[in-house]
Amino acid sequence: MMDEEDPKMESEPNSENVSHSEMRAILWGRQLSRSQSDPQRVSEFTEHETGFGKMKRPTSLSDEWKELQKIKMTKNPITETLLPHTQNLQSRRSIWKNFLSLCGGLMLAFMSFLPLRNIQSSIYPIDNLGTICLSSMYAAFIVGCTISPWLVQNARPKGLILLAVASHVFYVAANLYPSYLTLIPASVIFGFLQAPLWSVQELLIGSYGSSYSAITGIRVDRSIRQFQSVFVIFCHCAQILGNLIESLVLNYGTVENKHILNKTYYSLNHDNCSENCVGKFGYHMKRPNEIEEQIDYLEILKFIYLAFSCFAMILIGFCLRKPDIILNKRKMSLLEKLGDVLSFFRTKSCAMIGLLMVFTGMQQAVVISDVTMVYGTEKLGLSTVGYMMMCYGTCQLATLLLLERMQRRFRPIVFILKGFLITLGLLILLYVWEPRDNSVLTIFGFMALWGATDAVWQSQIQNILITSTTKRESAVVCFRICQGFGLTVVFLSSLWLSLLYKVCMVGATLVFGVMGYMLLEVTNNPVTPLDPEPFPL
């Protein structure tokens, strides 16, 4: 947040009570527009005190950091007192308070969504309601990704975050009255708003990282990387803790696969929905007579997730102050933003690794819809799905942190080839392996491998995209669009294709995607053969 302007500054421009926000205002060139009524102060405050005249407003994080270093290295008295120790400490606390409020609120929101998403196809099998909801969610996510750069540019960041978190509340509430009239609209709204949410959080992390770099003097890229690492840990903790709560709650009840299949959900105009219907949304449930009075722990779990999503809105609404966005980019119209995003699809990098980007979404969809169903709901029971996804999220987080340290020692092709071999083996094992009832630890290890490979694909493909282009924003948006497309294709194919055909489709996408990446490596790093030595005479 930008602090209010100190009234003492108007009369004493050389005083020591210059706040950090005033110093940044000088850096951005805003001080000139605020002091038009006092030309003498303008010239003194900009030319004499800074030592290098009127500054242009920076357009990137690195430019801002360099300009700030110029101000800090000048030998004028005011620059030596611009950042006193107390002001420095308060600014650090303010940045971390806002950042942790953002991370905590989004962690609670993700805790309410991710576990429910993982069991959608298991708890709503009648008429494929769960699968259709997932496919519609990620189809809306694709649409949201295409216009998210324009939305983020023209809307308030905090307003977008609150709107996206409100969609979590709407989605969880729709699960309390599941039907086509409630779940599908909630899934579409939820998927659409998730795209600008991810774009806004990236913008905020860049802002917090740049502000922290300005205070501490560390490099901007290093500061942003630190904030990104903390945010990634919070996101994966949401996966781990949310699924842990799911399994603990369901273990208290008798919610098993047979009981779930006895619940049937109808639309509003279903012919058989008469006396047993509850509510105007057509929610219909049948239970055997012997367990009619038993507590439904699945419904209790939904209310817990609803409380998480509501508390996330409260935390962000009251604790997250208005974000201080320090980036200044030229505003573009909606058509210009769309053209900028779509133009990236015509680049060589996108054409070569486009199938790999689609595969990352396909792999996640296979885990959500097939692995959890085959080895969780049908084999070990619904309550074990949470433990399985805990292993998945934990191993994914550990692999991401490990790859971050090993990234500079090895080229991406090393991780890509190893991930290719392991993922291909996991796909084959998914179709041919039929575990026994006592092979719980083996199944958890199987899920851990899926999480590790997903971390490899996510990190390496993003690294390849960012390093191969200067349009980072368009590259990230295109990556999300391809991911959403892969998720949608697998969920829709689950309505008609068997597991064998889906495994073949995903495996073929993986093979051709790796071939495209190898071609990209060869074209970017051609091998020049050595001149042959002449025959000895």
Side-chain angles (χ1 to χ4, degrees):
M1 289 285 292
M2 297 291 292
D3 299 332
E4 294 184 0
E5 204 169 6
D6 194 345
K8 296 181 180 180
M9 288 296 297
E10 296 297 332
S11 58
E12 298 178 12
N14 291 330
S15 69
E16 296 182 359
N17 298 324
V18 182
S19 65
H20 173 54
S21 59
E22 282 292 335
M23 183 273 295
R24 290 171 63 186
I26 300 170
L27 175 65
W28 295 344
R30 294 178 182 172
Q31 188 64 35
L32 297 178
S33 61
R34 294 180 181 178
S35 306
Q36 293 296 332
S37 59
D38 192 353
Q40 182 179 0
R41 180 178 182 274
V42 173
S43 59
E44 292 179 357
F45 204 70
T46 58
E47 297 180 5
H48 173 70
E49 294 175 353
T50 60
F52 45 89
K54 180 180 177 181
M55 294 174 296
K56 296 182 179 179
R57 186 170 181 174
T59 57
S60 66
L61 295 177
S62 59
D63 292 340
E64 180 187 358
W65 187 76
K66 292 177 182 178
E67 296 295 335
L68 181 60
Q69 295 304 310
K70 291 180 181 179
I71 292 180
K72 293 173 68 176
M73 287 187 296
T74 55
K75 297 182 179 181
N76 298 295
I78 189 171
T79 56
E80 296 176 0
T81 59
L82 271 176
L83 292 176
H85 178 70
T86 55
Q87 183 69 26
N88 192 343
L89 186 61
Q90 291 177 359
S91 300
R92 289 188 185 185
R93 289 177 179 176
S94 177
I95 291 173
W96 279 106
K97 177 187 174 182
N98 287 317
F99 176 68
L100 292 179
S101 299
L102 175 68
C103 293
L106 292 184
M107 185 183 76
L108 289 173
F110 295 153
M111 284 175 64
S112 66
F113 158 68
L114 292 174
L116 276 180
R117 181 202 64 176
N118 298 335
I119 60 175
Q120 282 280 292
S121 58
S122 299
I123 62 178
Y124 306 130
I126 306 301
D127 297 330
N128 296 311
L129 176 60
T131 305
I132 293 175
C133 289
L134 290 174
S135 59
S136 60
M137 177 190 300
Y138 286 102
F141 178 75
I142 297 174
V143 178
C145 286
T146 56
I147 64 174
S148 62
W150 179 79
L151 286 176
V152 172
Q153 177 184 256
N154 292 276
R156 294 182 180 272
K158 186 175 179 179
L160 278 178
I161 294 174
L162 286 174
L163 193 61
V165 176
S167 68
H168 285 77
V169 180
F170 186 32
Y171 177 77
V172 178
N175 276 269
L176 293 171
Y177 297 94
S179 70
Y180 280 96
L181 294 180
T182 56
L183 273 178
I184 293 181
S187 300
V188 170
I189 295 173
F190 178 87
F192 179 82
L193 291 176
Q194 290 311 292
L197 173 63
W198 285 104
S199 298
V200 167
Q201 65 86 14
E202 286 183 352
L203 184 63
L204 291 181
I205 288 177
S207 176
Y208 294 142
S210 178
S211 300
Y212 194 75
S213 171
I215 297 171
T216 59
I218 64 177
R219 293 177 55 187
V220 173
D221 54 348
R222 181 182 175 186
S223 176
I224 294 177
R225 197 180 304 115
Q226 290 177 352
F227 281 90
Q228 287 176 340
S229 300
V230 175
F231 182 78
V232 167
I233 292 174
F234 270 90
C235 290
H236 285 81
C237 285
Q239 174 87 291
I240 297 169
L241 296 177
N243 285 287
L244 176 62
I245 293 173
E246 174 189 295
S247 290
L248 290 177
V249 172
L250 294 183
N251 273 333
Y252 279 103
T254 58
V255 184
E256 298 177 354
N257 186 37
K258 294 181 180 179
H259 178 60
I260 292 299
L261 292 179
N262 284 328
K263 291 184 177 183
T264 54
Y265 305 97
Y266 295 90
S267 60
L268 183 62
N269 57 355
H270 197 277
D271 297 332
N272 297 328
C273 184
S274 56
E275 59 183 13
N276 292 327
C277 289
V278 179
K280 60 181 181 180
F281 296 104
Y283 171 54
H284 183 71
M285 187 177 76
K286 293 181 180 179
R287 284 195 181 99
N289 295 328
E290 61 271 14
I291 61 173
E292 186 174 359
E293 302 298 330
Q294 198 167 12
I295 298 176
D296 190 351
Y297 284 88
L298 182 60
E299 299 299 313
I300 295 177
L301 180 67
K302 295 176 183 178
F303 278 106
I304 294 175
Y305 290 149
L306 182 62
F308 283 163
S309 58
C310 292
F311 189 68
M313 281 199 67
I314 296 173
L315 181 62
I316 293 177
F318 288 96
C319 296
L320 179 65
R321 301 174 66 187
K322 182 180 177 182
D324 187 12
I325 303 299
I326 63 176
L327 300 180
N328 179 37
K329 296 183 179 180
R330 182 178 66 89
K331 285 193 174 183
M332 302 170 64
S333 64
L334 178 59
L335 293 180
E336 289 176 334
K337 281 289 185 181
L338 286 176
D340 194 23
V341 171
L342 296 178
S343 64
F344 186 78
F345 283 101
R346 297 191 294 267
T347 60
K348 182 180 71 173
S349 300
C350 185
M352 294 297 182
I353 63 174
L355 286 179
L356 273 184
M357 292 191 289
V358 174
F359 168 77
T360 58
M362 287 184 166
Q363 180 185 2
Q364 293 180 6
V366 167
V367 172
I368 295 170
S369 63
D370 294 305
V371 179
T372 57
M373 174 70 78
V374 174
Y375 299 120
T377 306
E378 295 180 354
K379 193 67 180 178
L380 302 177
L382 185 67
S383 60
T384 59
V385 174
Y387 293 133
M388 292 170 60
M389 296 306 294
M390 273 184 60
C391 297
Y392 179 89
T394 304
C395 194
Q396 187 181 36
L397 175 60
T399 306
L400 283 173
L401 296 178
L402 182 63
L403 288 174
E404 186 178 0
R405 293 184 174 273
M406 300 176 60
Q407 192 72 44
R408 297 180 180 179
R409 300 183 181 180
F410 302 96
R411 294 181 59 187
I413 189 173
V414 177
F415 302 107
I416 291 291
L417 292 179
K418 290 183 178 180
F420 167 71
L421 296 176
I422 296 175
T423 307
L424 204 59
L426 290 175
L427 287 173
I428 297 173
L429 196 61
L430 173 63
Y431 180 73
V432 302
W433 181 41
E434 294 183 3
R436 300 177 182 177
D437 294 336
N438 58 354
S439 57
V440 179
L441 296 179
T442 308
I443 293 176
F444 288 168
F446 184 65
M447 291 298 299
L449 285 176
W450 278 107
T453 55
D454 183 63
V456 170
W457 294 117
Q458 297 275 351
S459 60
Q460 299 309 306
I461 292 177
Q462 290 191 43
N463 183 39
I464 295 169
L465 280 176
I466 293 174
T467 55
S468 62
T469 182
T470 57
K471 298 181 179 180
R472 184 184 182 279
E473 182 183 18
S474 300
V476 174
V477 171
C478 291
F479 176 60
R480 290 178 185 151
I481 291 175
C482 292
Q483 263 193 324
F485 179 76
L487 284 156
T488 306
V489 167
V490 172
F491 287 137
L492 285 178
S493 64
S494 300
L495 302 176
W496 301 286
L497 299 181
S498 63
L499 180 61
L500 174 62
Y501 290 105
K502 282 195 291 184
V503 168
C504 293
M505 177 181 64
V506 176
T509 306
L510 172 63
V511 171
F512 286 109
V514 172
M515 292 173 60
Y517 168 72
M518 297 296 292
L519 186 59
L520 178 65
E521 281 288 325
V522 172
T523 55
N524 288 343
N525 304 290
V527 178
T528 304
L530 299 177
D531 293 332
E533 296 182 0
F535 290 101
L537 298 176

